[in-house]
């Protein structure tokens, strides 16, 4: 059976997402900013949730249509056979997002969808599902455009960047799916040296290790679709097993992380242990300007601190030339990738980027600067 789905991802990673979906036999792609509409059966849905490294969430399209006012959408929602989707004893939460929507209140529309679902169940069974804001079993999402509405069931539940094994965090950790997308954009291949010299909680390191061991990122978590009435437990179990069998066991992975902050290194260590990579990745507490390349060639990927507080810019302005010196002196033969919202960075490092890829880190408009270190070149 062909169902319609929408997979969201950080803006800038849509092409990578489409490639991931192609591999699992999804079809009928329609790319939009921040996601892809596609079709597939349950196998495709389960595989997308377990295997996508860059998707944020995947949603099942229950109904779409045109509307002029609130009542049109309420009636369309009341018309859906909700009991074919989930049992009345499941808890629900409705959310709404809108782009260029003429309706006065998006919150009111959220309430009306909740009313429609509850009215439907009450009429049929004499009872209604309870609303649960924090950990609902079923997430219903209404997406409103100028004339069109789409009603979705969230198949992922918790966002897919929650891989299920991050214990602790530092300030401003990068989301796992954005980190995985950046690694893909860097062109790094398992076996090559990988270094994050400002590793914070170790997100890039763990995502690189998951790729190197061919480990699907969703193997250690649950998904929203598991609470649906049509959940095919046997199919899910089989799919999970095939991903588990595909994991390549490795010892050391040539993945290296460092940070100037000992607390960050401790947090990274904790996360590596939980992810099962403590023996595969080497950690060190070091200033960027003190790092040495672990191998003659490799890929450096990092997201430096953002100058968000007063005084930060000045501190960064002083740090950039130090980092550039280290790169020029020791990193010939390396490709380096910096994700930052400080567009002045390459200029202040006096290094010319060979590529600038626009990416959004949450709401922050960022660039991924590619700087290839070749002996004696790159000077601005
Ligand atoms: C934005 S955070 C990186 C977050 C990380 N990608 C994660 O997912 O947790 C920046 C990190 O750079 C580190 N840092 C800042 N200046 C540094 C320097 N000069 N040398 C090494 N690390 C530095 C900070 O301690 C912080 O952990």
């Amino acid at each position: 059976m062909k169902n319609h789905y929408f997979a969201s991802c950080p803006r800038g990673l849509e092409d990578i997402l489409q490639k991931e979906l192609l591999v699992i036999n999804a079809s009928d792609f329609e790319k939009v900013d921040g996601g892809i509409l596609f079709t597939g059966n349950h196998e495709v849905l389960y595989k997308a949730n377990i295997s996508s490294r860059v998707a944020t969430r995947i949603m099942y399209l229950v109904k779409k249509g045109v509307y002029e006012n609130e009542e049109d959408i309420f009636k369309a929602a009341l018309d859906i056979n909700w009991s074919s989707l989930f049992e009345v004893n499941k808890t629900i939460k409705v959310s709404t997002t809108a782009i260029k929507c003429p309706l006065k209140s998006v919150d009111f529309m959220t309430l009306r969808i909740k009313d429609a679902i509850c009215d439907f169940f009450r009429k049929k069974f004499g009872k209604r599902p309870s609303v649960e804001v924090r950990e609902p079993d079923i997430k219903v999402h209404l997406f409103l455009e100028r004339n069109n509405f789409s009603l979705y069931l969230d198949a992922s539940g918790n966002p897919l960047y929650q891989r299920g094994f991050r214990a602790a965090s530092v300030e401003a950790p990068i989301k796992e799916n954005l980190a995985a997308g950046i690694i893909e954009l860097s062109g790094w291949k398992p076996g090559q040296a990988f270094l994050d010299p400002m590793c914070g909680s170790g997100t890039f390191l763990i995502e690189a290790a998951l790729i190197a061991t061919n480990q699907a990122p969703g193997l250690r978590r649950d998904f929203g679709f598991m609470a649906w009435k049509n959940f095919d437990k046997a199919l899910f179990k089989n799919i999970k097993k095939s991903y588990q069998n595909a994991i390549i066991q490795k010892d050391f992975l040539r993945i290296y992380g460092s940070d100037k902050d000992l607390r960050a290194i401790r947090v990274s260590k904790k996360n590596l242990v939980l992810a099962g990579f403590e023996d595969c990745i080497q950690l060190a507490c070091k200033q960027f300007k003190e790092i040495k390349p672990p191998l003659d060639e490799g890929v450096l990927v990092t997201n430096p601190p953002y100058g968000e507080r007063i005084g930060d810019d000045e501190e960064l302005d002083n740090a950039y030339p130090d980092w550039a010196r280290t790169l020029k002196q020791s990193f010939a033969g390396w490709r380096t990738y910096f994700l930052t919202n400080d567009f002045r960075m390459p200029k202040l490092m006096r290094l010319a980027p060979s590529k600038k890829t626009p990416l959004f880190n949450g709401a922050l408009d960022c660039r991924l600067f590619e700087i290839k270190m070749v002996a004696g070149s790159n000077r601005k």
Side-chain angles (χ1 to χ4, degrees):
M1 198 177 53
K2 227 179 190 189
N3 294 314
H4 290 259
Y5 300 109
F6 177 67
S8 59
C9 67
R11 266 192 283 166
L13 299 182
E14 296 86 353
D15 288 341
I16 296 175
L17 177 60
Q18 184 164 337
K19 268 195 228 154
E20 290 183 340
L21 294 172
L22 252 180
V23 170
I24 57 165
N25 291 327
S27 43
D28 307 310
F29 299 112
E30 192 187 322
K31 214 167 16 171
V32 296
D33 260 1
I36 297 183
L37 291 144
F38 65 99
T39 62
N41 54 17
H42 285 160
E43 186 174 336
V44 168
L45 177 68
Y46 298 172
K47 283 184 171 172
N49 273 283
I50 298 172
S51 71
S52 173
R53 299 189 191 278
V54 302
T56 303
R57 53 177 79 249
I58 295 162
M59 296 195 284
Y60 162 58
L61 180 65
V62 180
K63 187 170 207 164
K64 71 174 181 181
V66 290
Y67 73 96
E68 276 176 17
N69 52 42
E70 287 87 346
E71 208 46 27
D72 293 339
I73 307 173
F74 174 78
K75 278 189 189 145
L78 199 58
D79 239 21
I80 293 169
N81 184 4
W82 293 99
S83 62
S84 72
L85 301 171
F86 58 90
E87 310 272 2
V88 67
N89 61 0
K90 300 289 180 202
T91 55
I92 61 166
K93 182 187 174 185
V94 183
S95 60
T96 306
T97 50
I99 297 175
K100 294 178 188 155
C101 158
L103 299 183
K104 276 203 204 90
S105 164
V106 165
D107 289 344
F108 175 68
M109 220 40 258
T110 302
L111 266 180
R112 292 300 280 154
I113 298 296
K114 188 267 296 170
D115 289 345
I117 298 171
C118 292
D119 287 0
F120 171 90
F121 276 101
R122 216 185 278 115
K123 205 168 157 205
K124 202 162 172 188
F125 301 102
K127 51 185 178 176
R128 47 157 282 189
S130 313
V131 171
E132 159 68 48
V133 188
R134 286 168 63 91
E135 300 252 328
D137 300 316
I138 305 288
K139 287 184 182 169
V140 178
H141 188 73
L142 172 67
F143 178 58
L144 294 172
E145 295 167 285
R146 195 191 298 278
N147 304 308
N148 300 303
F149 73 87
S150 306
L151 262 167
Y152 292 100
L153 280 193
D154 184 338
S156 303
N158 289 330
L160 295 173
Y161 54 74
Q162 293 179 9
R163 311 296 202 207
F165 45 79
R166 188 202 275 274
S169 203
V170 293
E171 212 180 311
I174 191 167
K175 296 264 192 300
E176 285 77 354
N177 59 337
L178 178 58
I182 289 171
I183 295 172
E184 174 71 26
L185 288 173
S186 80
W188 171 79
K189 293 281 171 280
Q192 297 177 324
F194 181 95
L195 167 65
D196 179 356
M198 292 185 269
C199 68
S201 59
T203 316
F204 279 118
L205 309 176
I206 292 175
E207 289 304 312
L210 287 171
I211 295 169
T213 51
N214 198 33
Q215 209 171 131
L219 280 175
R220 297 185 238 180
R221 52 160 286 163
D222 290 338
F223 301 99
F225 59 73
M226 295 165 87
W228 297 358
K229 213 165 174 177
N230 65 10
F231 176 48
D232 188 337
K233 213 172 170 179
L235 175 68
F236 179 69
K237 217 172 139 191
N238 273 341
I239 291 172
K240 228 176 140 172
K241 207 167 168 191
S242 67
Y243 280 114
Q244 255 144 3
N245 291 339
I247 296 174
I248 305 165
Q249 298 296 345
K250 286 218 176 119
D251 300 331
F252 188 56
L253 294 169
R254 294 188 177 165
I255 298 173
Y256 306 82
S258 53
D259 199 289
K260 69 170 183 183
D261 181 359
L262 184 59
R263 204 184 70 85
I265 292 300
R266 287 199 183 119
V267 168
S268 275
K269 174 87 189 168
K270 233 186 203 170
N271 287 331
L272 293 192
V273 170
L274 271 175
F277 293 129
E278 68 271 30
D279 298 327
C280 309
I281 296 170
Q282 196 172 304
L283 290 175
C285 187
K286 268 197 181 125
Q287 284 278 352
F288 191 131
K289 61 181 177 189
E290 290 167 0
I291 54 167
K292 293 270 177 281
L295 290 167
D296 286 348
E297 286 178 1
V299 180
L300 181 157
V301 178
T302 199
N303 73 307
Y306 297 138
E308 283 199 317
R309 286 172 301 230
I310 301 165
D312 281 356
D313 269 356
E314 206 179 315
E315 213 179 305
L316 282 172
D317 290 1
N318 293 331
Y320 289 146
D322 286 343
W323 303 352
R325 202 171 308 115
T326 301
L327 293 179
K328 285 175 201 161
Q329 280 173 358
S330 316
F331 278 82
W334 279 65
R335 295 199 313 276
T336 70
Y337 296 83
F338 292 84
L339 179 77
T340 178
N341 71 337
D342 185 354
F343 298 169
R344 311 163 310 147
M345 196 197 86
K347 203 169 165 204
L348 293 172
M349 287 173 95
R350 306 193 68 206
L351 287 167
S354 40
K355 228 189 249 170
K356 303 173 197 176
T357 309
L359 287 174
F360 275 84
N361 185 6
L364 280 184
D365 184 12
C366 293
R367 294 291 175 275
L368 179 68
F369 290 113
E370 175 189 75
I371 302 172
K372 289 182 178 158
M373 300 310 301
V374 184
S377 69
N378 281 312
R379 292 206 123 241
K380 268 225 155 191

